[in-house]
Amino acid sequence: MNTYLKIPCTCILIFFVSVLTGLGQEVKLDRANKKYQELAYIDASEIYLDLAESGYRSEELFRKLGNIYYFNAKYVDAANWYKELFSLTENLEPIYYLRYSQSLKAIGDEGLSIHWFNIYIKKNGIVNETYGNAIDYLKIIEENSGRYIIQAAKINSTGVDFGASFHGKKLVFASTQDATKAGRRLSPWDGLSFLDLFESAISSDGSLGTPTKLKGDVNTKYHESSAVFTTDGATMYFTRNNITPSKNKRKQEVQHLKIYRAKLKNGKWTDVEDLSINGDDYSNAHPVLSPTEDKMYFVSDRPGSLGFTDIYSVSISPEGILDNPKNLGTKINTKGRESFPFLSPDNELYFSSDGHYGLGGYDIFYVKIKEDNSFGNLLNVGKPLNSSFDDVAFAIMGNNGYISSNRPNGLGHDDIYSFIETEKIKDVLKSRVFGVVTDRETKEPLKDASITLYDEGDNIFVELKTDEKGYYESEVDINTSYIIKAEKEKYESKDAYSQKGQKEREHNFELDKNVIDIKAGDDIAKLFNVVIYFDLDKSNIRPDAALELEKIVSVMKLHPSINIDVRSHTDSRANDMYNMDLSERRAKSTIDYLITRGISKTRLTSKGYGESQLVNHCSNGVRCTKAEHQLNRRSEFIVEFKK
């Protein structure tokens, strides 16, 4: 008898119901995932929520629900679903620790936010002496807080208003201000109306006029936002949904973003151009021009991005041709979202990020772009511009500027805020090195003493001179340790180790006078007990010889008026011609070493004497010990004063 025939019918029914339920859930999940991939977050969330309410639990479900609410700045829901995600597993990418921390911070759960962020920085490998944990980050942020007076702009609507930029004496921004008009479509991303570009006149007192839509071919039935203008006002770069027709009419494609260029003709924006950097499989958005307008910075999730969205730069030729985009790298971009770049006339880059530690959601950050295109220290601009919500789209002209935020008590989903900058940003990641150089015996200050700071790679960071009070001071990187060397002619030099991680580093030096009177014809090797020997039949500088040569380097730096004639000698072994050649090589290697240590070639001469000037009886044919022969393998450093 087949045993399976004994199974009660009710059990069989339950089994098939379970199977069908499971299959139904998988079908729903597959449908939701397609909506998620199409960035139709509203439709996707409805299906995901239905699955969750039916008791379905999975890492993928909770991860995507958390992301949907996080990307739409609904941090209460995002925190709830990330909590469910972490209840299933903590074996997740570091970015999820960050998003959970940011969501918790946005809803006011400071303690848990700090806990999860501390785990994030450990997993992401960004712990150091300065930023050991979230508390350290918060202290740093506080140092640049309180520098702005901020208020809501009077152009806000009950919908979405964001992304201010300047076009002459007008403010240009994106808005859903005519969302109530019949026939307006809704975005599947957030369920809100599509954005158009508006402009508002800026009066002399800073107040804004009634907004009007930009004229011409710019505004369409799709999203338009984030405009930037050339100095002459004739060219605009802006963001729009990709409206390239689909090759497959049956396929619903993801609507990515593209950057377009338009020309102002007779008061209307025309000749809208799809830029060469765009693609149908990724997004480009939020363009901004460099002060010289030969470079554009923008945001993209193109292949090769480090995180969800990165900031890139691209060169623009005088003819308007764009080069290949370059990722700004890990100093700027993270595993999270970097967006809304802005360039000041002084080449200061402001941008928003949820990947660098902030006060919650997107925060606005600052970094100085140096002349060699490297970056200074990354700084959070602090409160009140940054809050526990999303703060984006920084723009400033003089001391007056604008940001966009979804912080509470606004009129709409996102609002524009005007601000006045009352104090420039401080590089709180710098520390001050300072001190006094004095004569050890008299205690008098030493004017014009040389102070040289060497970084951890033994490179010269800065060279200074003490003032009439013997005082020196320099601003240095708080995350770098330095060797500080104090030198003055006719004094012995001294150095000190300056430990990183200190805001204030005081290093005072008391120098001993060099009592040795150096005259022309003196051998510095004898005056300062410098002993430099070479191995048998070798001309390379041995490690012990290199240490001795540092004494020569120090003397020559302290006495810039003297030149040195390097004279090298050999022992008597081998024939005379060979020894003469060997001594020449030894003299040259000695000079080469001194040059590598910063001594000018013009201050050095050399000559090899072979075995012609032995210091003992060990001439040809005389039996001597190794030690006795070693005495003849030497160099001399004869002083010659500049003429």
Side-chain angles (χ1 to χ4, degrees):
M1 180 182 293
N2 293 328
T3 55
Y4 69 84
L5 293 177
K6 295 182 179 179
I7 300 175
C9 293
T10 53
C11 292
I12 296 173
L13 179 61
I14 292 171
F15 171 74
F16 278 111
V17 169
S18 299
V19 171
L20 291 174
T21 300
L23 289 173
Q25 290 174 333
E26 292 300 325
V27 170
K28 282 185 178 181
L29 185 62
D30 185 58
R31 190 165 75 251
N33 287 342
K34 288 181 179 178
K35 294 290 185 182
Y36 184 91
Q37 289 298 115
E38 294 164 1
L39 306 184
Y41 286 162
I42 298 300
D43 294 339
S45 65
E46 290 176 358
I47 303 172
Y48 285 138
L49 285 172
D50 185 50
L51 282 168
E53 289 170 1
S54 70
Y56 184 83
R57 294 171 60 81
S58 78
E59 177 187 331
E60 180 184 28
L61 173 65
F62 295 149
R63 178 165 46 82
K64 289 182 176 177
L65 269 173
N67 288 346
I68 286 172
Y69 289 113
Y70 181 82
F71 294 146
N72 282 290
K74 296 180 179 179
Y75 294 117
V76 172
D77 292 315
N80 286 337
W81 291 115
Y82 285 140
K83 179 180 179 181
E84 292 289 343
L85 173 63
F86 280 98
S87 72
L88 291 182
T89 179
E90 290 192 15
N91 185 24
L92 295 162
E93 295 179 61
I95 190 62
Y96 287 98
Y97 291 84
L98 177 64
R99 289 176 187 167
Y100 189 25
S101 170
Q102 299 281 38
S103 299
L104 290 166
K105 181 176 283 292
I107 64 176
D109 196 336
E110 191 77 23
L112 266 183
S113 172
I114 289 173
H115 167 76
W116 288 103
F117 184 78
N118 287 340
I119 297 175
Y120 164 72
I121 59 177
K122 289 177 182 176
K123 285 184 172 289
N124 217 36
I126 57 176
V127 180
N128 57 44
E129 289 87 344
T130 307
Y131 311 113
N133 54 51
I135 297 297
D136 293 334
Y137 276 86
L138 291 172
K139 289 178 181 176
I140 292 292
I141 292 171
E142 198 62 37
E143 291 189 53
N144 264 317
S145 293
R147 300 180 299 107
Y148 300 97
I149 300 171
I150 184 172
Q151 63 179 356
K154 295 183 179 179
I155 55 174
N156 292 315
S157 68
T158 56
V160 174
D161 304 277
F162 80 94
S165 61
F166 303 102
H167 183 216
K169 294 183 178 181
K170 293 180 179 180
L171 189 76
V172 177
F173 61 99
S175 178
T176 59
Q177 298 221 355
D178 58 353
T180 58
K181 291 186 178 180
R184 293 293 293 180
R185 297 160 57 249
L186 300 180
S187 167
W189 171 285
D190 52 16
L192 299 173
S193 178
F194 280 83
L195 295 157
D196 285 326
L197 287 170
F198 289 76
E199 62 183 6
S200 178
I202 305 173
S203 65
S204 57
D205 63 0
S207 60
L208 298 171
T210 302
T212 58
K213 290 176 70 170
L214 295 191
K215 297 178 181 179
D217 302 328
V218 172
N219 290 317
T220 66
K221 63 181 181 179
Y222 297 95
H223 280 306
E224 283 85 25
S225 69
S226 304
V228 65
F229 303 86
T230 53
T231 304
D232 62 10
T235 302
M236 171 174 63
Y237 295 84
F238 67 98
T239 306
R240 176 191 281 169
N241 279 111
N242 173 13
I243 58 173
T244 305
S246 172
K247 297 177 182 178
N248 184 351
K249 297 299 182 181
R250 294 183 179 180
K251 182 180 179 182
Q252 184 177 5
E253 295 193 1
V254 177
Q255 290 295 305
H256 292 288
L257 302 174
K258 287 186 175 183
I259 297 173
Y260 293 82
R261 182 164 53 196
K263 299 293 184 180
L264 184 62
K265 296 181 179 179
N266 300 319
K268 295 182 179 181
W269 292 101
T270 62
D271 300 337
V272 178
E273 176 188 359
D274 184 342
L275 298 183
S276 61
I277 60 172
N278 293 323
D280 293 334
D281 299 320
Y282 54 85
S283 289
N284 292 326
H286 313 315
V288 65
L289 295 171
S290 65
T292 52
E293 298 183 3
D294 59 353
K295 187 179 289 186
M296 180 174 71
Y297 293 79
F298 65 99
V299 176
S300 182
D301 62 353
R302 65 203 304 116
S305 295
L306 301 175
F308 197 81
T309 54
D310 284 2
I311 298 177
Y312 287 78
S313 67
V314 62
S315 297
I316 306 174
S317 73
E319 297 75 30
I321 299 172
L322 277 66
D323 203 349
N324 294 321
K326 296 180 180 178
N327 191 297
L328 294 195
T330 55
K331 184 72 177 278
I332 305 299
N333 296 315
T334 68
K335 293 291 186 181
R337 298 177 295 175
E338 278 67 50
S339 199
F340 296 99
F342 174 82
L343 263 293
S344 77
D346 295 326
N347 226 25
E348 298 163 310
L349 173 65
Y350 293 84
F351 65 97
S352 292
S353 172
D354 66 0
H356 297 286
Y357 189 70
L359 299 175
Y362 272 118
D363 265 29
I364 298 165
F365 292 84
Y366 162 99
V367 66
K368 173 72 174 178
I369 302 178
K370 301 178 182 179
E371 291 183 3
D372 61 358
N373 288 321
S374 64
F375 299 107
N377 287 320
L378 184 70
L379 305 169
N380 187 301
V381 301
K383 305 172 187 175
L385 289 199
N386 287 327
S387 68
S388 61
F389 293 85
D390 287 328
D391 305 297
V392 300
F394 178 100
I396 193 169
M397 182 180 292
N399 295 326
N400 298 293
Y402 300 87
I403 65 161
S404 305
S405 180
N406 61 358
R407 61 188 65 187
N409 304 320
L411 281 178
H413 188 273
D414 292 275
D415 290 314
I416 296 172
Y417 292 79
S418 63
F419 66 82
I420 299 172
E421 185 180 56
T422 60
E423 183 183 340
K424 291 296 182 183
I425 196 165
K426 297 175 291 187
D427 192 343
V428 295
L429 301 182
K430 293 287 187 182
S431 64
R432 187 170 69 103
V433 171
F434 63 97
V436 175
V437 182
T438 58
D439 184 300
R440 184 179 186 84
E441 183 177 350
T442 66
K443 307 303 180 185
E444 292 294 318
L446 294 179
K447 180 185 177 182
D448 291 330
S450 298
I451 301 293
T452 308
L453 273 67
Y454 296 88
D455 64 20
E456 293 167 340
D458 201 30
N459 303 304
I460 294 177
F461 175 76
V462 68
E463 294 178 296
L464 309 166
K465 291 286 188 181
T466 55
D467 62 17
E468 60 275 1
K469 296 181 180 180
Y471 181 78
Y472 73 92
E473 180 178 334
S474 179
E475 191 177 63
V476 299
D477 189 341
I478 196 171
N479 295 320
T480 303
S481 296
Y482 298 87
I483 295 293
I484 306 175
K485 180 171 283 189
E487 301 171 291
K488 184 169 176 62
E489 190 171 0
K490 297 184 179 180
Y491 283 85
E492 297 284 351
S493 63
K494 283 191 176 180
D495 55 43
Y497 180 69
S498 185
Q499 176 68 43
K500 62 184 175 181
Q502 305 174 77
K503 292 289 288 184
E504 300 285 316
R505 315 189 203 184
E506 183 175 5
H507 298 281
N508 300 316
F509 297 92
E510 290 184 328
L511 302 186
D512 291 306
K513 211 161 192 177
N514 181 354
V515 296
I516 299 176
D517 185 21
I518 302 176
K519 303 183 294 296
D522 284 344
D523 181 0
I524 290 179
K526 291 181 179 179
L527 289 176
F528 294 93
N529 195 28
V530 177
V531 181
I532 297 174
Y533 292 131
F534 292 90
D535 289 328
L536 175 64
D537 201 27
K538 301 291 184 181
S539 60
N540 60 292
I541 302 297
R542 301 189 326 199
D544 60 332
L547 289 174
E548 293 294 301
L549 281 173
E550 286 301 314
K551 297 178 184 178
I552 304 297
V553 171
S554 181
V555 170
M556 295 194 73
K557 286 185 176 181
L558 283 171
H559 300 274
S561 63
I562 67 172
N563 295 338
I564 294 292
D565 181 36
V566 179
R567 302 175 183 179
S568 291
H569 306 269
T570 69
D571 61 31
S572 62
R573 288 176 289 186
N575 65 61
D576 292 359
M577 288 298 294
Y578 178 84
N579 283 336
M580 186 62 72
D581 179 66
L582 177 60
S583 65
E584 287 285 357
R585 296 202 308 272
R586 287 175 174 173
K588 184 179 183 305
S589 66
T590 301
I591 280 187
D592 289 344
Y593 180 87
L594 294 174
I595 291 172
T596 65
R597 299 300 294 139
I599 303 302
S600 172
K601 185 178 181 180
T602 60
R603 299 178 62 190
L604 301 167
T605 56
S606 67
K607 184 176 181 181
Y609 289 86
E611 58 181 274
S612 64
Q613 295 184 6
L614 301 175
V615 296
N616 55 27
H617 63 287
C618 299
S619 58
N620 291 336
V622 177
R623 293 177 62 86
C624 289
T625 65
K626 290 183 178 180
E628 289 173 324
H629 282 302
Q630 174 74 84
L631 293 174
N632 290 311
R633 298 195 299 272
R634 69 198 190 280
S635 287
E636 298 169 326
F637 301 86
I638 306 303
V639 173
E640 297 176 347
F641 283 95
K642 294 180 181 179
K643 295 180 181 180

